[in-house]
Amino acid sequence: MILVEPEIRAAFARRLRVNALREFVEQAQAAVKLRGDVSVLLTGDRQLRRWNKDFRGKNKATDVLSFPAIPMGDMPAALAGDLAISVETADVQAREQGHALAEELKVLVLHGILHLAGYDHETDDGTMARVERRLRTKLGLKAGLTERAQVEPVKKAVRKGAVSIPTQATDRLVWGTQKSEPVKKAAVKKKPAAKATPTRRRAR
């Protein structure tokens, strides 16, 4: 189930592509093997900031929050959990990444569903990042949120001149691009300087 706040629906209209996002939620759940219903709320920065402060102690807006359902006994839960997404933040990130808002919402949904399934990139050894990378490729998405979270701080530091990228290997790791290895210049022997010969000056 996808719920859209009226202000968000009015501001972003057809760019949300709710029907396509609903289908993607099902695809992502199947890929993650997460059972139970997932509800998604498309809201704004104000609401995400409030919940981020209340539940995580961080007084700032964020892109997606996951609220796993509390299991009741040994019975499998009919509800897997809830996702809350700030469309305003998603729109900014979509522009930064150079893709559509609808694409960014899918990236956030996949990230949130992985959290509902029990993954946590803040405490694991990179497991969530690896799973997210594999699934976003399978689902036809661009760079996953965890991957970007690891790369963006370094990118920003490089842009500000705070750090430099000294090697080709590091450059490929940080930027995710493949560059050819630097070509070594062939040594060129310098020719001996020609002896000066007297020349006649021309009249001007």
Side-chain angles (χ1 to χ4, degrees), residues 1-4 9 16-29 40 106:
M1 177 174 61
I2 297 181
L3 303 174
V4 186
R9 187 180 294 277
L16 298 175
R17 299 187 180 179
V18 175
N19 290 335
L21 186 61
R22 186 179 293 111
E23 293 177 3
F24 180 80
V25 171
E26 296 178 359
Q27 294 172 3
Q29 272 194 259
V40 181
K106 290 179 180 179

Side-chain angles (χ1 to χ4, degrees), residues 53-196:
K53 180 181 179 182
D54 291 346
F55 295 101
R56 303 179 70 228
K58 298 183 179 183
N59 189 20
K60 63 179 181 178
T62 188
D63 44 18
V64 58
L65 289 174
S66 303
F67 301 94
I70 300 175
M72 303 294 289
D74 297 331
M75 295 294 292
L79 178 66
D82 304 320
L83 302 180
I85 295 175
S86 171
V87 178
E88 293 168 332
T89 294
D91 190 42
V92 172
Q93 292 177 176
R95 289 198 299 270
E96 291 174 348
Q97 297 299 317
H99 55 231
L101 172 59
E103 175 84 1
E104 183 67 13
L105 293 176
K106 290 179 180 179
V107 170
L108 297 178
V109 163
L110 175 60
H111 187 82
I113 286 178
L114 284 169
H115 276 303
L116 294 182
Y119 292 96
D120 189 350
H121 56 87
E122 294 183 353
T123 59
D124 67 18
D125 59 352
T127 301
M128 180 172 174
R130 290 191 292 272
V131 173
E132 188 172 12
R133 187 182 304 115
R134 174 174 57 82
L135 293 181
R136 62 94 172 166
T137 302
K138 178 180 180 180
L139 295 169
L141 298 178
K142 296 183 179 179
L145 200 60
T146 306
E147 294 171 87
R148 282 165 20 193
Q150 294 169 344
V151 170
E152 286 303 321
V154 183
K155 279 189 177 182
K156 290 178 181 178
V158 171
R159 291 190 199 106
K160 292 179 180 178
V163 298
S164 60
I165 305 300
T167 65
Q168 287 285 337
T170 306
D171 191 55
R172 285 195 294 271
L173 173 65
V174 173
W175 300 105
T177 58
Q178 285 291 338
K179 293 185 178 180
S180 57
E181 295 297 329
V183 178
K184 293 183 179 179
K185 294 182 179 179
V188 179
K189 293 183 179 179
K190 292 184 178 180
K191 294 181 179 179
K195 294 181 179 179

